[in-house]
Amino acid sequence: MAKLLYLGHSSLRIQLDEGKVIYIDPYAGNGYDLVPNFVLVSHEHYDHNNLSLLKIAKDTVIIRAKNCILPNFQYKTFENSYLKVIATPASNQNHSIKECVGFILEFDGIKLYYAGDTSYLPFMKDSLPKLNLDYAFLPCDGVYNMDVKQASECGKLIQAKHIVPIHTQVGSLFSKKVAEEFDCPNKLIIYPNQEIIL
């Protein structure tokens, strides 16, 4: 079965059932020892794009926000035999929608939404509930992104089976206090260095 390791801050590592490895927004924590097949970078801020942590192979696919946004704000989809990645809008008061994305990942029968650095956007209400998402990862720091109260409201709109607070405190791997304040149905707190079966 697929596994997810929360590295801290906004950094995730996913191992698919067949052993393929995906990193999202590498920056924090430990767990960068596996060679990635895919690396997803939601935007080019230092706390989301530290590829120097990774053992990049010649065939590693790196998807950055600039590769995802087409003219007229259409968003690309990347797909192969074991993974589908759909880029989504992301922005907040300090992150331009021209430079940021989130991602929907589909693999091993799982649908996972990674919001990136963002505040509320209408597609969260209009599109995401229809997808029957298994997991949604939402930022909660309230400095650059939505705060924990706004993130809780977004979680209620998105209606994923499991909704995980991340990016809980700028400059820190994790704030237990903020994560515990996150309040919506299907809340799931994952701690840094914790691995779950998806």
Side-chain angles (χ1 to χ4, degrees):
M1 299 178 71
K3 299 181 292 185
L4 182 143
L5 175 65
Y6 179 41
L7 303 167
H9 194 57
S10 290
S11 306
L12 308 179
R13 186 185 79 188
I14 300 169
Q15 289 178 265
L16 306 192
D17 190 31
E18 61 181 61
K20 304 295 186 182
V21 176
I22 304 158
Y23 286 95
I24 305 178
D25 282 5
Y27 161 67
N30 301 305
Y32 295 98
D33 52 310
L34 301 180
V35 176
N37 300 93
F38 276 80
V39 183
L40 309 182
V41 178
S42 66
H43 63 291
E44 299 298 336
H45 283 180
Y46 76 95
D47 57 337
H48 294 263
N49 70 349
N50 189 359
L51 271 63
S52 68
L53 296 170
L54 303 174
K55 300 175 181 177
I56 302 293
K58 288 183 179 180
D59 59 349
T60 297
V61 177
I62 301 172
I63 300 175
R64 299 177 181 269
K66 65 182 180 182
N67 308 129
C68 297
I69 305 172
L70 297 168
N72 300 318
F73 294 102
Q74 300 296 311
Y75 292 84
K76 284 188 179 180
T77 296
F78 305 84
E79 188 171 8
N80 64 18
S81 61
Y82 58 84
L83 175 66
K84 184 176 184 179
V85 177
I86 304 166
T88 67
S91 72
N92 60 42
Q93 60 184 353
N94 291 304
H95 296 68
S96 169
I97 200 166
K98 298 177 182 179
E99 299 173 348
C100 300
V101 295
F103 300 105
I104 295 169
L105 286 71
E106 298 182 14
F107 56 88
D108 296 349
I110 294 164
K111 291 183 181 179
L112 181 153
Y113 170 57
Y114 177 88
D117 270 15
T118 193
S119 294
Y120 168 77
L121 293 170
F123 89 102
M124 294 177 178
K125 177 182 178 182
D126 298 338
S127 300
L128 293 183
K130 301 172 186 175
L131 298 180
N132 296 313
L133 294 164
D134 295 291
Y135 293 87
F137 289 78
L138 303 180
C140 302
D141 65 83
V143 177
Y144 300 107
N145 302 300
M146 52 193 165
D147 62 20
V148 68
K149 182 177 179 180
Q150 294 165 332
S152 299
E153 292 304 311
C154 286
K156 293 171 186 175
L157 294 173
I158 291 168
Q159 300 176 30
K161 295 181 181 73
H162 306 283
I163 304 176
V164 184
I166 59 171
H167 207 305
T168 51
Q169 184 173 330
V170 174
S172 171
L173 284 183
F174 187 73
S175 168
K176 182 179 179 182
K177 178 179 182 294
V178 172
E180 289 178 347
E181 290 174 358
F182 184 72
D183 181 25
C184 71
N186 304 327
K187 164 183 168 179
L188 173 64
I189 295 178
I190 307 174
Y191 295 92
N193 301 315
Q194 181 182 350
E195 187 171 64
I196 65 168
I197 302 297
L198 297 174

